[in-house]
Amino acid sequence: MQPTATKPSELYEQDFYQWAMANAALIREGRIAELDFENLAEEIESLGRSERHQLDSRLTMLLTHLLKRELQPHKRDNRSWLTSIVNQRIRLARVLKMSPGLRRFLSEAVADSYPQAVRVARTQTAETGTPLPAECPWTVEQLLDPGYLP
C-alpha cells in the first residue's frame, strides 16, 4: 500500500518551509496544475505588504530622529541620532531601489508615519512642551536627501 500524498494546502499548515520548497520545485518543473495557488497568492501578497511595512518603519525611524533634533536643539550633534538618520536614509534608498513601485506611496507613508514619530520622539526625549507641526514639515525630497538636515 502506497502512502497517501500530502495535499499542498495541508503541507502549508504543517511545514511552511517544505511547502515553499515543494511549490518552488513544481514551478521549476512546469507542474503548474499541482501548485497551491490560494496559499501562493496569499504569500505573494504578504511579500508586498512586508515591503510596504519596511518603507513605513524606515520613515518612522527617520522622522523620529529628525524630530528629536527639533525637540532638543542643544543635542543636534548627537552622533547616535545623526547615525540613525544616515542609516535610515540608506535603508530607504535600498527599499525604493528594490521596489520602485513603492515610490507612489511615499507621501501617504510620510503622512501615516509622522504622528507615530511624534509620539516616539516625545516619549524618548520626555519633551512635551515644544510645539510641533500637525503635519510633517519636510518634503519627501528633503527626507530622502542624504545631505539634508533641518
Side-chain angles (χ1 to χ4, degrees):
M1 181 175 193
Q2 265 187 320
T4 58
T6 304
K7 289 186 200 176
S9 59
E10 290 174 2
L11 187 56
Y12 179 80
E13 297 298 327
Q14 295 169 3
D15 186 337
F16 179 79
Y17 175 79
Q18 284 297 106
W19 170 86
M21 295 301 107
N23 276 276
L26 291 172
I27 291 169
R28 286 188 182 95
E29 294 167 10
R31 296 167 47 197
I32 305 303
E34 298 173 53
L35 291 171
D36 181 5
F37 286 105
E38 185 170 333
N39 287 316
L40 277 170
E42 202 168 298
E43 290 303 320
I44 290 169
E45 287 173 347
S46 175
L47 290 171
R49 284 190 303 273
S50 177
E51 288 299 299
R52 174 62 195 264
H53 174 73
Q54 187 74 237
L55 177 72
D56 294 343
S57 177
R58 299 292 168 209
L59 280 170
T60 300
M61 288 293 295
L62 173 61
L63 289 166
T64 296
H65 285 91
L66 290 172
L67 286 166
K68 286 161 82 169
R69 288 173 47 88
E70 293 294 309
L71 289 168
Q72 296 183 324
H74 59 285
K75 292 185 177 181
R76 283 202 169 176
D77 292 331
N78 182 308
R79 287 284 150 215
S80 174
W81 295 353
L82 293 172
T83 301
S84 179
I85 290 167
V86 169
N87 282 333
Q88 296 312 315
R89 284 180 170 152
I90 289 169
R91 291 177 177 154
L92 273 166
R94 189 176 303 141
V95 167
L96 293 170
K97 182 179 179 183
M98 298 293 291
S99 299
L102 288 173
R103 283 193 179 275
R104 66 185 172 151
F105 297 111
L106 274 169
S107 293
E108 177 186 333
V110 169
D112 290 346
S113 298
Y114 182 73
Q116 296 171 33
V118 168
R119 284 194 310 272
V120 173
R122 286 200 184 283
T123 300
Q124 289 180 349
T125 62
E127 178 63 56
T128 57
T130 304
L132 290 172
E135 295 179 1
C136 183
W138 306 294
T139 66
V140 168
E141 292 75 23
Q142 288 172 322
L143 292 172
L144 298 179
D145 181 350
Y148 178 76
L149 281 174

